[in-house]
Amino acid sequence: MRRRILPIDAYICLALSVLIALGTGYIAGRVAEVLYAQEVDKHQAVDGEIGGRADETVFRAQSVDDLLNHDTFTIVSPGIHYKNEGAGYYGNYYLYSVELPNGERVAARINTESVQSTGDSIYSGDSILPLGQLVWEDLTKSEAFLNQIEFSKPLTRKDFYVDMVGNTGVLAADLALETPKIVTQVLTVFIFYPIFHTIGSKLGIFAPYFAPKKKKEN
């Protein structure tokens, strides 16, 4: 089997492009950090609003009927059960399968930053989920979502989900910070590689990829 090896000019242009990409990636990363910090600050959870911490005055829902009959509420879940019993993406939202105290199960979008633990750690005691409200939505429209969230136990109701995020939702930190950096670096390599090779060709250092057409003799 014949091995294909890149010519030396390709290695040189690629190396130069990668060096430039390290710089542009660093700049893109710093800009992303500033923008993400502004976004997080703009969407800070506020107690008393959807997605904020639920204090002792907030109604503790025990059943689906409780959810249907209260404008706002919270759900108390043992330990971190709310995270471990099924979840999936419904559109752009990540919904957890949450069991209510009476055993019924609903889908919930949760701001995990506002979850309060009654124990010494998240593994002991109960988790008081954020202030939430009911949102009517036909979850059966996404079979892939139901396959994910119901892998353990089926949902009791599929015509709504509980919103415990509200205006606090922001893109995950790893996506918000790393994606712009990686995309910038890749684009930099694609842009600067042909530029460096063209410069090298014009200086006579590299052979051109496309030989110039010969002029026709009269």
Side-chain angles (χ1 to χ4, degrees), residues 38-55:
Q38 293 175 350
E39 189 71 8
V40 170
D41 186 62
K42 188 189 305 181
H43 294 276
Q44 282 292 328
V46 177
D47 294 347
E49 295 184 4
I50 302 302
R53 293 179 299 177
D55 62 25

Side-chain angles (χ1 to χ4, degrees), residues 19-162:
L19 286 175
I20 299 294
L22 291 176
T24 58
Y26 174 78
I27 294 171
R30 295 303 298 270
V31 172
E33 288 177 7
V34 173
L35 294 178
Y36 185 68
Q38 293 175 350
E39 189 71 8
V40 170
D41 186 62
K42 188 189 305 181
H43 294 276
Q44 282 292 328
V46 177
D47 294 347
E49 295 184 4
I50 302 302
R53 293 179 299 177
D55 62 25
E56 64 280 356
T57 65
V58 177
F59 178 76
R60 268 63 172 160
Q62 304 294 309
S63 64
V64 167
D65 281 343
D66 285 344
L67 302 182
L68 297 173
N69 290 301
H70 290 79
D71 292 332
T72 60
F73 46 78
T74 186
I75 299 171
V76 179
S77 177
I80 56 171
H81 286 196
Y82 69 93
K83 280 188 173 183
N84 298 328
E85 298 185 339
Y89 277 101
Y90 183 80
N92 294 325
Y93 294 160
Y94 193 67
L95 305 181
Y96 295 94
S97 177
V98 176
E99 185 176 25
L100 294 162
N102 74 338
E104 293 178 309
R105 188 171 292 275
V106 296
R109 185 176 174 228
I110 302 172
N111 174 19
T112 56
E113 296 297 321
S114 294
V115 175
Q116 303 169 84
S117 178
T118 61
D120 296 330
S121 72
I122 60 174
Y123 302 103
S124 63
D126 294 326
S127 291
I128 303 173
L129 302 187
L131 184 68
Q133 65 183 0
L134 187 148
V135 176
W136 293 103
E137 181 70 29
D138 182 7
L139 303 179
T140 63
K141 290 189 296 186
S142 176
E143 184 178 349
F145 163 71
L146 289 179
N147 289 337
Q148 294 175 65
I149 198 170
E150 294 189 315
F151 85 92
S152 176
K153 297 178 183 178
L155 298 175
T156 303
R157 294 284 293 264
K158 303 174 186 178
D159 56 342
F160 67 79
Y161 68 87
V162 175

